[in-house]
Amino acid sequence: MSKTGIVLLFGLCTIALLNQRCSNLRFYSSTSTTPSPTRTTSTSPSKSDNRKPTKADYGLEKGERLRTEIVSYAKQHLGVNYKYGGNTPRGFDCSGFTSHVMGEFNIQLNRSSRDQAKQGKKIRLKDAKAGDLVFFSKGGRVFHVAIIASNKNGQVKIVHSTSSRGVVLDNLTNSSYWFPKIHTVKDVSGIL
């Protein structure tokens, strides 16, 4: 057999082999009308997802897991410095902190504490749960907002960005500065 014949035979064998392997592959058109899969598990979405989580992703009654994850994420920012107008982990003001944290869970809040106080459902402090927001006022004017971290045995703890200490965890119940300034408490978990 000549060199040309061998090369031709080798080429035909290679094509036959590739055809056999490729016949097992499935190709999908980018214009497919097949819907993309949706999350059906009760586990929380991973940070590698390209979408923001929704309440349905957590699958627990009344969003308890969502609330837990909000507080856990907020606590990851403890120690971040205060920055006037800041709304990133490089520095936060109070409402920049709450809007950043809630935004990670697809809860869209207005930018200022005064405007955030107009969102959500008003609740009593004793009924507040982790992930709710508490607003503070001077002379009836809202000037600060914090995320409730826990409400157990009459002790309410908050995570917030303060101008003097940055993002901190405080016991609201024992605070002679913050407790008397409580204006309202809001459940914003329904803003999804």
Side-chain angles (χ1 to χ4, degrees):
M1 189 176 246
S2 70
K3 257 186 173 180
T4 306
I6 292 174
V7 170
L8 210 87
L9 183 61
F10 179 75
L12 288 173
C13 289
T14 303
I15 290 171
L17 182 63
L18 287 174
N19 279 338
Q20 182 180 2
R21 288 187 180 196
C22 290
S23 68
N24 293 330
L25 299 175
R26 294 182 184 176
F27 296 93
Y28 295 97
S29 166
S30 62
T31 59
S32 171
T33 58
T34 306
S36 60
T38 57
R39 182 180 302 277
T40 56
T41 63
S42 63
T43 60
S44 63
S46 70
K47 288 292 178 187
S48 64
D49 285 351
N50 288 331
R51 65 179 184 78
K52 302 271 184 169
T54 65
K55 205 174 201 178
D57 288 318
Y58 294 91
L60 294 179
E61 188 176 333
K62 298 182 182 176
E64 294 305 318
R65 184 178 188 137
L66 171 62
R67 292 172 176 280
T68 300
E69 294 213 5
I70 287 170
V71 172
S72 176
Y73 182 70
K75 286 181 176 179
Q76 289 176 25
H77 296 86
L78 291 173
V80 171
N81 291 328
Y82 179 87
K83 180 179 180 184
Y84 180 77
N87 62 353
T88 72
R90 290 181 306 229
F92 294 109
D93 65 14
C94 66
S95 57
F97 177 63
T98 55
S99 63
H100 171 79
V101 170
M102 295 302 184
E104 285 296 306
F105 296 91
N106 207 29
I107 298 171
Q108 300 305 312
L109 295 178
N110 294 323
R111 182 54 184 89
S112 74
S113 58
R114 204 166 296 119
D115 289 335
Q116 288 178 11
K118 297 173 186 170
Q119 295 180 271
K121 177 184 168 189
K122 187 175 181 176
I123 57 175
R124 297 179 297 185
L125 181 62
K126 72 177 191 170
D127 298 326
K129 296 179 181 179
D132 289 333
L133 299 181
V134 58
F135 297 89
F136 304 89
S137 67
K138 288 180 188 173
R141 186 176 169 99
V142 172
F143 75 97
H144 190 70
V145 59
I147 299 171
I148 295 187
S150 65
N151 185 0
K152 296 178 183 172
N153 303 320
Q155 298 295 305
V156 178
K157 293 187 178 176
I158 57 174
V159 181
H160 57 143
S161 182
T162 65
S163 59
S164 59
R165 298 175 292 145
V167 179
V168 293
L169 179 67
D170 280 329
N171 186 323
L172 176 60
T173 311
N174 296 341
S175 172
S176 60
Y177 180 78
W178 292 111
F179 193 80
K181 293 176 176 63
I182 295 172
H183 178 269
T184 190
V185 180
K186 292 288 190 89
D187 175 354
V188 295
S189 65
I191 307 175
L192 285 171

